[in-house]
DNA sequence: CCGTATCCTAACCGATACTG
DNA sequence: CAGTATCGGTTAGGATACGG
């Protein structure tokens, strides 16, 4: 009874994957799930990311409702990023992906074509 | 106590994401989680995929240990694809992504910037 | 400090044609 | 039937420079 509807069903996974797809999103999600960070703090946590990419990924996640952006009207500028409730739930899901990843790496150590 | 190790931990999620990343992999995973399919059956299930992409994604998934490929020495050729145990477990995980995706679409209907 | 804008490369993916 | 090979378009992402 699920053979025909499966395609639609599976496609909703791509909605979720779209929220995470992006080279730095999983990492950002991971950090922000711990605490609120300022823009340049995130930069320091991820030395390899460029300002452009950090801005883009944060903006995308904000648009997707995962991240909350708070601007303080001070000089020098201060902007804080935190996860929304949805973002936190997605971060939880990401943890499950981590668990699978760890298990996968373990269970495929004795693979024949590794 | 987990703030410094978090980065390594989160990065293992990218291992899992790497297994799913690919335009058609979630769909293929979904179909093969139901039953074994032949190459051209998968083609029919996904009318928009090209032979090249189907071959590539299947080969990648086979290399990753998600898919089992069985060749029958007959004419015309017959090749059957099925999920390995790891592949099945990943398909389960994909179902959770689906659930989140559905819930996400529902919970963001009343969003302010939709 | 927090971004934007521009340029450039590399990867992904589709269309098409060909092969065992 | 089940692939492989080649070409070409589109997009993600990095480097760098500039602006509020």
């Amino acid at each position: 009874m699920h053979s025909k509807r499966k395609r639609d069903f599976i496609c909703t996974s791509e909605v979720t994957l779209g929220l995470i797809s992006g080279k730095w999103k999983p990492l950002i999600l991971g950090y922000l799930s711990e605490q609120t960070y300022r823009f340049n703090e995130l930069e320091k946590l991820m030395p390899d990311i460029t300002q452009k990419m950090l801005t883009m990924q944060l903006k995308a996640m904000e648009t997707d409702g995962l991240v909350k952006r708070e601007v303080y009207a001070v000089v020098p500028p201060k902007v804080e990023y935190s996860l929304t409730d949805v973002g936190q739930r997605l971060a939880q899901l990401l943890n499950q992906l981590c668990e699978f990843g760890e298990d996968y790496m373990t269970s495929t150590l004795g693979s024949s074509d590794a």
Side-chain angles (χ1 to χ4, degrees), chain A:
Chain A
M1 187 187 296
H2 57 301
S3 56
K4 225 24 178 319
R5 291 184 58 255
K6 192 74 178 192
R7 185 179 181 277
D8 299 329
F9 186 56
I10 282 292
C11 279
T12 63
S13 72
E14 285 162 21
V15 172
T16 310
L17 287 171
L19 300 175
I20 321 175
S21 82
K23 187 170 180 181
W24 305 97
K25 283 187 191 174
L27 220 37
I28 295 172
L29 233 15
Y31 282 125
L32 291 184
S33 71
E34 298 171 352
Q35 62 174 85
T36 295
Y37 281 111
R38 294 181 59 174
F39 187 87
N40 78 102
E41 288 175 329
L42 288 171
E43 271 192 291
K44 278 163 195 152
L45 287 169
M46 300 173 282
D48 292 337
I49 198 174
T50 61
Q51 288 178 335
K52 176 196 164 190
M53 283 313 296
L54 184 53
T55 303
M56 284 178 62
Q57 307 267 285
L58 283 171
K59 185 170 291 183
M61 294 168 78
E62 190 193 358
T63 301
D64 289 337
L66 305 176
V67 162
K68 180 167 173 244
R69 180 175 179 268
E70 261 181 309
V71 184
Y72 297 86
V74 296
V75 278
K78 175 181 173 181
V79 182
E80 283 187 343
Y81 291 92
S82 57
L83 288 195
T84 63
D85 185 55
V86 180
Q88 282 290 356
R89 293 202 304 114
L90 187 57
Q92 304 282 326
L93 195 48
L94 214 59
N95 272 313
Q96 296 186 241
L97 297 188
C98 288
E99 287 170 25
F100 185 92
E102 291 178 0
D103 193 43
Y104 172 80
M105 288 189 292
T106 302
S107 62
T108 52
L109 284 182
S111 181
S112 52
D113 63 324

